[in-house]
């Protein structure tokens, strides 16, 4: 069976050329795709790996950065944050026509949607969410210089650049005019915190971007999907994790996401748990919530924009922009609370 974005013969040659022992015929299965990077499970007669590459259509380079993903995963090996061990990196895309990463396969459970979540008890769900928050706090505690990531990003001015970046992205992908977008952008631009912390940020942290231990879902075996990671303000990570809890995020993902389930802790509970685990002050919290809503609103619009342009963006892509007004309105509410 042909797999879009995969050439098994070329992959085997790349692995051998990279010094990876391949024993027997390679077996390849697509295990993740659509709006994110394509993820393939690859196995021979003795070993298993995971190969990731950008989608074959609708490519947004900054959102599918394989070099970024490989760099941070390599740097975090052996740290307090569990990651898959890196194996090889095709920076030029010589094998598959696009850059790809190869990491060791981590056996465990991925909880993507609410059907997956149904396999866990309420106690397991609560324990898993608590551990996810602790893992995020541990990530933010890592000294970037100590793991070779001191030049991984530009933390100074990060938040202001995020405001401008997502406003510019809106201008590129908007499918209609929405007054709330301009209003929220103006409010954010006027309220950028004077100072902010700096850390390694994941950029897309929620339960489905982790691999949990199959026997103990309160144990995170690996954090995955690092293509949005950089050095920046840790509270942007926390706020995004919390705003992902919004039910309208299902429209963006095109599925009933595990993270939007009402069995998960509330956004407020997650924020408080993070503050406790990290010891950080969630100052200017309304601003960070507003920025996260702004970002997700633009992302939803972009998914529909690409679908209307004919790019394959996964199931329900035409409806993703229905979430945009909801996120923008929520952002304005967060800013109103911030200004009190």
């Amino acid at each position: 069976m042909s797999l879009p974005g995969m050439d098994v013969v070329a992959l085997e040659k790349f692995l051998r050329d990279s010094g990876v022992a391949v024993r027997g015929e390679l077996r390849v299965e697509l295990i993740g795709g659509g709006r994110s990077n394509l993820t393939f499970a690859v196995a021979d007669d003795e070993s298993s790996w995971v190969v990731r590459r950008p989608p074959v259509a609708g490519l947004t380079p900054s959102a599918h950065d394989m070099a970024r993903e490989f760099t941070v995963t390599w740097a975090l090996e052996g740290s307090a944050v569990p990651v898959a061990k890196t194996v090889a990196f095709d920076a030029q895309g010589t094998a598959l026509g696009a850059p790809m990463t190869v990491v060791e396969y981590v056996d465990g459970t991925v909880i993507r949607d609410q059907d997956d979540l149904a396999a866990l008890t309420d106690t397991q769900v609560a324990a898993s969410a608590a551990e996810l928050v602790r893992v995020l706090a541990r990530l933010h505690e890592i000294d970037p210089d100590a793991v070779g990531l001191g030049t991984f990003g530009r933390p100074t001015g990060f938040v202001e650049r995020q405001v401008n970046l997502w406003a510019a992205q809106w201008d590129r992908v908007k499918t209609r005019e929405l007054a709330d977008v301009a209003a929220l952008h103006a409010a954010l631009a006027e309220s950028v915190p004077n100072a902010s912390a700096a850390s390694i940020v994941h950029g897309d942290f929620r339960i489905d971007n982790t691999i949990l231990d199959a026997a103990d879902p309160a144990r995170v075996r690996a954090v995955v999907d690092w293509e949005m990671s950089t050095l920046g303000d840790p509270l942007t990570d926390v706020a995004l994790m919390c705003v992902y809890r919004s039910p309208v995020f299902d429209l963006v993902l095109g599925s009933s996401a595990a993270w939007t389930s009402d069995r998960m802790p509330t956004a407020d509970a997650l924020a408080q748990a993070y503050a406790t685990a990290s010891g950080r002050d969630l100052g200017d919290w309304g601003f960070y919530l507003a920025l996260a809503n702004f970002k997700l609103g633009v992302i939803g619009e972009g998914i529909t924009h690409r679908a209307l342009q004919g790019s394959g963006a996964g199931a329900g892509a035409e409806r993703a922009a229905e979430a945009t007004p909801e996120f923008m309105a929520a952002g304005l509410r967060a800013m109103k609370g911030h200004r009190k």
Side-chain angles (χ1 to χ4, degrees):
M1 180 182 68
S2 176
L3 294 172
M6 173 53 66
D7 182 330
V8 178
V9 173
L11 174 62
E12 179 175 346
K13 182 179 185 301
F14 170 76
L15 290 174
R16 292 187 186 277
D17 290 348
S18 300
V20 179
V22 178
R23 296 178 173 85
E25 182 179 354
L26 284 185
R27 299 176 296 281
V28 182
E29 176 188 1
L30 179 66
I31 57 175
R35 294 168 199 175
S36 185
N37 288 323
L38 300 179
T39 305
F40 301 90
V42 179
D44 63 6
D45 292 342
E46 293 187 8
S47 302
S48 298
W49 306 276
V50 169
V51 172
R52 277 169 56 81
R53 55 147 294 164
V56 295
L59 178 63
T60 304
S62 63
H64 308 286
D65 194 332
M66 295 289 92
R68 183 170 298 278
E69 180 161 286
F70 188 83
T71 297
V72 71
T73 305
W74 178 85
L76 291 177
E77 287 179 22
S79 75
V81 176
V83 293
K85 182 177 176 58
T86 53
V87 174
F89 176 45
D90 182 3
Q92 303 304 317
T94 55
L96 301 183
M100 71 170 171
T101 63
V102 184
V103 299
E104 288 186 354
Y105 180 83
V106 176
D107 193 22
T109 300
V110 178
I111 306 294
R112 292 188 176 89
D113 56 35
Q114 293 182 23
D115 287 341
D116 295 331
L117 195 67
L120 304 186
T121 67
D122 288 346
T123 299
Q124 288 174 323
V125 170
S128 175
E131 179 60 10
L132 287 170
V133 170
R134 288 190 289 266
V135 168
L136 186 61
R138 290 199 292 269
L139 172 66
H140 295 161
E141 290 171 0
I142 293 174
D143 178 357
D145 290 315
V147 294
L149 293 176
T151 59
F152 190 56
R154 295 181 295 144
T156 301
F158 173 78
V159 174
E160 182 177 8
R161 288 197 306 275
Q162 285 285 296
V163 173
N164 294 333
L165 182 155
W166 290 105
Q169 181 68 359
W170 171 259
D171 289 335
R172 285 190 288 268
V173 304
K174 63 183 177 182
T175 64
R176 66 292 175 63
E177 298 295 334
L178 288 176
D180 278 359
V181 175
L184 181 53
H185 175 223
L188 288 166
E190 293 171 2
S191 304
V192 173
N194 293 326
S196 62
S199 73
I200 304 166
V201 295
H202 181 274
D204 197 16
F205 193 82
R206 56 183 191 265
I207 193 170
D208 51 308
N209 284 337
T210 67
I211 300 172
L212 306 181
D213 188 278
D216 179 10
R219 177 188 173 207
V220 177
R221 298 208 63 200
V223 179
V224 298
D225 293 9
W226 291 90
E227 65 265 26
M228 297 296 288
S229 60
T230 188
L231 299 187
D233 189 326
L235 294 190
T236 60
D237 245 0
V238 186
L240 195 60
M241 173 185 69
C242 292
V243 173
Y244 279 146
R245 288 285 291 110
S246 172
V248 296
F249 186 53
D250 286 350
L251 288 170
V252 176
L253 289 183
S255 65
S256 296
W259 199 241
T260 65
S261 168
D262 58 11
R263 297 181 64 204
M264 289 287 178
T266 66
D268 287 346
L270 289 170
Q272 185 55 55
Y274 175 85
T276 300
S278 66
R280 290 184 187 274
D281 180 357
L282 302 185
D284 296 308
W285 184 236
F287 169 88
Y288 289 99
L289 286 177
L291 177 58
N293 276 286
F294 187 61
K295 175 179 177 177
L296 288 185
V298 175
I299 288 173
E301 191 82 4
I303 290 168
T304 294
H305 170 80
R306 290 193 295 277
L308 295 175
Q309 296 297 313
S311 298
E318 295 82 1
R319 294 194 60 202
E322 293 178 23
T324 300
E326 301 288 339
F327 282 121
M328 296 302 169
L332 286 171
R333 289 194 298 271
M335 284 303 303
K336 185 178 179 179
H338 173 63
R339 288 171 166 176
K340 286 182 179 179

